[in-house]
Amino acid sequence: PCLRWRRQPPLLLWAARQSIGTQAGGLRAEKPGDDSKDVSVQRALNGETLVSAAQKVKEAGRDFTYFIVVLVGIGVTGGLFYVIFKELFSSSSPNKIYGDALEKCRSHPEIIGVFGDSIKGYGEATRRGRRQHVSHIEYVKDGLKHMRLKFYIEGTESGKQGTVHVEVKENLETGRFEVRYIFVDVETYPRRTIVIEDNR
């Protein structure tokens, strides 16, 4: 029994050393794994950084494209508004001169007596029967811009039609067009010419 008791401790020591060595080896084996995990984490972070940078560049390019499209749209819209404003409200536009002349015809008592109420104006008729814009001619005489217009009117009196002739001349001081004359040729019997305004 004494011999067995003395021999057991070396066996126990050897088993303890083996278990400690295994644990130590396991710990040593885990260290390289931990380093590889750190490296893989760093690689993943670097990959995410590259992806996020590329994504930012892509988004910036897309935003710049949208910005250019918006700028072009604003430019086109501004141009359209300018053309519309010039055509409708500028004193030198044919539509503005036509509108003013038509209003003078509507308020003239002799025109109302011949054509009746609710006088409307229109331009030349096309082959399809559509009434185009008022025909006009622009020219320069004695260094001043001139414009001549021709359009037609009719009212509630059936069969009555008239041709309106308008001429305007540029005023250098104001830069606006002033009426030289407006007269209406009555195209039905009895034919005559009604002078609305004459500043010649």
Side-chain angles (χ1 to χ4, degrees), residues 151-171:
F151 61 94
Y152 306 96
I153 57 171
E154 59 184 30
T156 53
E157 289 290 329
S158 61
K160 295 285 185 179
Q161 186 182 22
T163 303
V164 183
H165 301 275
V166 183
E167 184 174 313
V168 294
K169 180 178 70 173
E170 183 185 24
N171 186 327

Side-chain angles (χ1 to χ4, degrees), residues 78-98:
L80 287 174
F81 276 121
Y82 173 76
V83 170
I84 291 169
F85 178 82
K86 188 176 179 182
E87 282 296 316
L88 295 180
F89 303 107
S90 174
S91 64
S92 61
S93 73
N95 284 330
K96 181 70 167 63
I97 295 166
Y98 158 73

Side-chain angles (χ1 to χ4, degrees), residues 40-57:
S40 65
V41 168
Q42 287 176 357
R43 283 179 185 167
L45 289 174
N46 289 338
E48 287 178 5
T49 306
L50 289 172
V51 169
S52 63
Q55 206 168 14
K56 285 180 181 177
V57 170

Side-chain angles (χ1 to χ4, degrees), residues 27-38:
L27 289 173
R28 281 196 296 270
E30 285 177 2
K31 283 182 183 177
D34 290 341
D35 291 341
S36 65
K37 285 179 184 176
D38 291 341

Side-chain angles (χ1 to χ4, degrees), residues 4-192:
R4 284 182 202 160
W5 177 255
R6 285 177 184 172
R7 286 179 183 175
Q8 283 176 357
L11 290 173
L12 288 173
L13 285 172
W14 180 80
R17 283 177 186 168
Q18 288 292 328
S19 66
I20 290 170
T22 305
Q23 289 175 358
L27 289 173
R28 281 196 296 270
E30 285 177 2
K31 283 182 183 177
D34 290 341
D35 291 341
S36 65
K37 285 179 184 176
D38 291 341
V39 170
S40 65
V41 168
Q42 287 176 357
R43 283 179 185 167
L45 289 174
N46 289 338
E48 287 178 5
T49 306
L50 289 172
V51 169
S52 63
Q55 206 168 14
K56 285 180 181 177
V57 170
K58 198 175 188 180
E59 288 176 1
R62 188 172 56 205
D63 292 342
F64 181 73
T65 304
Y66 289 154
F67 178 71
I68 293 296
V69 169
V70 169
L71 277 182
V72 170
I74 290 172
V76 170
T77 305
L80 287 174
F81 276 121
Y82 173 76
V83 170
I84 291 169
F85 178 82
K86 188 176 179 182
E87 282 296 316
L88 295 180
F89 303 107
S90 174
S91 64
S92 61
S93 73
N95 284 330
K96 181 70 167 63
I97 295 166
Y98 158 73
D100 293 343
L102 181 60
E103 285 302 317
K104 288 180 180 181
C105 291
R106 284 173 174 166
S107 61
H108 197 275
E110 199 171 350
I111 296 294
I112 295 171
V114 173
F115 297 97
D117 296 325
S118 304
I119 294 169
K120 59 183 179 180
Y122 53 90
E124 298 282 346
T126 62
R127 292 177 182 177
R128 296 182 180 180
R130 294 179 182 175
R131 291 170 177 177
Q132 294 179 329
H133 295 293
V134 176
S135 62
H136 67 281
I137 299 171
E138 296 182 41
Y139 63 97
V140 177
K141 183 180 178 182
D142 299 329
L144 297 175
K145 293 179 182 178
H146 290 65
M147 189 185 300
R148 287 181 183 169
L149 293 88
K150 185 177 79 170
F151 61 94
Y152 306 96
I153 57 171
E154 59 184 30
T156 53
E157 289 290 329
S158 61
K160 295 285 185 179
Q161 186 182 22
T163 303
V164 183
H165 301 275
V166 183
E167 184 174 313
V168 294
K169 180 178 70 173
E170 183 185 24
N171 186 327
L172 288 176
E173 293 179 1
T174 62
R176 299 171 65 87
F177 278 99
E178 295 178 348
V179 175
R180 287 196 71 218
Y181 60 78
I182 303 173
F183 62 86
V184 181
D185 287 331
V186 181
E187 302 296 340
T188 52
Y189 184 81
R191 291 177 178 272
R192 57 189 174 127

